[in-house]
Structures are given as structure tokens and as C-alpha cells.
């Protein structure tokens, strides 16, 4: 996996602060980001979660949809980037927006019913983030992570996981191991259902519960 720490988090924060104004383009949102967010909302609805955090919430589209569509008791959006959070805050006053890294979440132990994350997990220190998701969830709580996970073809893996890349795209097996090592019971893993012409996004959703 990629080397993570303060330097990587600084780099990722700077990049997303610059990219924030481009991020809400409707076509980008509709075809790239929305299919995974739809599946996360379905999972939250089925679980009946009332205290929910969206980790690496970006400009806050998913967290704002959760607030509107599920009307939970508490909904938090967490991100490290000031630029992304600025746009998120302008989007919805119903969400409690918080600045912080996925690896050290700004919540006490066992305070949430669900932790979700879409299109960002490849940037995280993945074992640390999974362990912090586990820490903040109450027993029975849900973790749903949608992340880019290209097929394990040698050339593709070299391109998408080059040593110079800041991100690491985990394989389905790596995701299952990360969930299990953090203490979760794996309940589902599947490819995100998306239109044929966007299947090259190769996103995967993995779902687990805290025993
Ligand atoms: C591609 S955007 C995804 C935003 C949103 N989750 C979505 O689906 O539209 C990636 C986001 O991850 C955030 N991010 C990356 N690494 C992070 C970390 N370790 N902790 C918190 N946020 C992080 C970036 O600041 C950026 O806002």
C-alpha cells in the first residue's frame, strides 16, 4: 500500500482544495459519483441508521442527500480539505460539517450508527481508517465503503497503483481483509451497479457490521 502520513494528507488536502470548484460539474457527478452514493443511501435506509457520518464528504453532496432523503437524527460530513468543506457548508445547514482526517475521526467511541465513504478510500491510510470507523461505531453499527477497485490485471495494476501514485486502489480481497482485520463482520461486497458506458470506473462497495 502507499506510504501514508502527514505528507500525503497535506498533498491530498492541497489538491482537493484547488479541485473543489470543478468537482460539482453535473456530468461528473451524474456519471462518476452518483451511482455509488445511491447504493450507500439504500444501505443506510435498510439498516435504519439514525446517527450517520460521511467520511471524506468532499463538497457534501452525499451527506446533504442523506439529510434530505433519510432525515436522520444526526448527520455529519467530515473532510480534510478547507476548499471542499467551504462548498459543503454552503450546500446544507442540516449537516454538521467537521474538519478531520479519516484516520482520526472527530467523534467519541461508539457514538454512531453508520459510517460511510464514497470515492475517497483509495487516499486513506486504509488500516488506520478502518480501525477508526470501528472505534466510532456502536455495536451493530454499519460501515459501507465504496472505492475504486480495478480488475487485477498486471498492466492495469501497474498503471493504477504506480509507486509514484499518492493513492492505493485496493482489490476486493484486500477490502475484505481490511474489514475483517478491523473487527467487522462482512455482510456484502459487490460491484456498484452503474450504466454500461461508465463501468470503467470499477467501483466496488463493501459492507460490514460491528459485532
Ligand atoms: C473524490 S473526492 C470524493 C468526495 C465525496 N466522498 C464524493 O463521493 O463525492 C475525495 C475527497 O476525499 C478527501 N480526503 C482524501 N483523503 C482524506 C483523508 N485521509 N481524510 C479525510 N478526507 C480525505 C479529499 O479532501 C476530497 O474531498
Amino acid at each position: 500500500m502507499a506510504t501514508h502520513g502527514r505528507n500525503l494528507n497535506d498533498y491530498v488536502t492541497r489538491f482537493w482544495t484547488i479541485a473543489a470548484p470543478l468537482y460539482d460539474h453535473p456530468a461528473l457527478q451524474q456519471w462518476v459519483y452518483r451511482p455509488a452514493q445511491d447504493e450507500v443511501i439504500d444501505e443506510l435506509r435498510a439498516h435504519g441508521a439514525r446517527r450517520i457520518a460521511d467520511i471524506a464528504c468532499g463538497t457534501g453532496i452525499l451527506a446533504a442527500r442523506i439529510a434530505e432523503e433519510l432525515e436522520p437524527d444526526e448527520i455529519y460530513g467530515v473532510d480534510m480539505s478547507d476548499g471542499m468543506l467551504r462548498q459543503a457548508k454552503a450546500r446544507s445547514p442540516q449537516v454538521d460539517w467537521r474538519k478531520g482526517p479519516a484516520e482520526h475521526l472527530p467523534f467519541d467511541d461508539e457514538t454512531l450508527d453508520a459510517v460511510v465513504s464514497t470515492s475517497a478510500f483509495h487516499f486513506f491510510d486504509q488500516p488506520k481508517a478502518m480501525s477508526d470507523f470501528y472505534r466510532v461505531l456502536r455495536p451493530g453499527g454499519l460501515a459501507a465503503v465504496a472505492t475504486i477497485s480495478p480488475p487485477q490485471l498486471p498492466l492495469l495494476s501497474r498503471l493504477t497503483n504506480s509507486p509514484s501514485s499518492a493513492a492505493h486502489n485496493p482489490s476486493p480481497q484486500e477490502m475484505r481483509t481490511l474489514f475483517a482485520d478491523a473487527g467487522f463482520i462482512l455482510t456484502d461486497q459487490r460491484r456498484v451497479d452503474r450504466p454500461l458506458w461508465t463501468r470503467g470506473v470499477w467501483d466496488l462497495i463493501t459492507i460490514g457490521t460491528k459485532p
Side-chain angles (χ1 to χ4, degrees):
M1 289 189 189
T3 307
H4 288 264
R6 196 173 140 65
N7 286 347
L8 175 64
N9 278 0
D10 288 350
Y11 167 81
V12 169
T13 304
R14 275 203 302 279
F15 172 80
W16 283 107
T17 295
I18 293 163
L22 307 173
Y23 190 74
D24 288 347
H25 189 282
L28 184 68
Q29 283 302 322
Q30 177 71 22
W31 302 122
V32 178
Y33 295 109
R34 190 169 172 113
Q37 295 171 357
D38 288 344
E39 295 203 14
V40 162
I41 288 180
D42 290 346
E43 292 294 334
L44 289 170
R45 188 178 284 112
H47 185 264
R50 304 302 306 161
R51 292 168 298 172
I52 303 166
D54 175 20
I55 311 305
C57 62
T59 60
I61 293 173
L62 174 60
R65 280 188 64 194
I66 292 169
E68 286 286 322
E69 295 176 32
L70 302 180
E71 299 182 346
D73 299 333
E74 297 169 27
I75 170 71
Y76 303 92
V78 179
D79 203 283
M80 285 190 322
S81 154
D82 289 322
M84 296 301 247
L85 279 175
R86 213 169 9 253
Q87 284 182 221
K89 282 176 186 159
R91 183 183 305 284
S92 172
Q94 291 167 277
V95 178
D96 184 339
W97 305 106
R98 296 189 176 189
K99 185 170 177 179
E103 300 81 5
H104 298 284
L105 293 171
F107 303 105
D108 291 335
D109 297 357
E110 302 197 348
T111 48
L112 298 173
D113 299 328
V115 170
V116 301
S117 186
T118 59
S119 309
F121 192 76
H122 47 289
F123 292 119
F124 299 169
D125 180 321
Q126 295 164 5
K128 275 195 190 157
M130 283 311 306
S131 141
D132 224 41
F133 292 2
Y134 189 91
R135 176 186 68 77
V136 299
L137 283 172
R138 65 165 177 78
L142 175 90
V145 178
T147 189
I148 310 289
S149 177
Q152 299 299 295
L153 306 172
L155 179 60
L156 203 57
S157 292
R158 271 207 294 279
L159 287 174
T160 57
N161 279 321
S162 84
S164 60
S165 165
H168 173 73
N169 297 303
S171 69
Q173 177 58 57
E174 279 178 290
M175 284 305 288
R176 293 196 293 275
T177 302
L178 282 161
F179 269 66
D181 286 354
F184 287 99
I185 297 168
L186 192 83
T187 52
D188 197 10
Q189 185 179 58
R190 58 181 188 270
R191 287 282 163 197
V192 171
D193 189 21
R194 49 172 55 253
L196 195 58
W197 60 92
T198 66
R199 295 236 169 115
V201 175
W202 291 308
D203 43 1
L204 176 83
I205 184 164
T206 307
I207 297 150
T209 51
K210 178 169 174 172

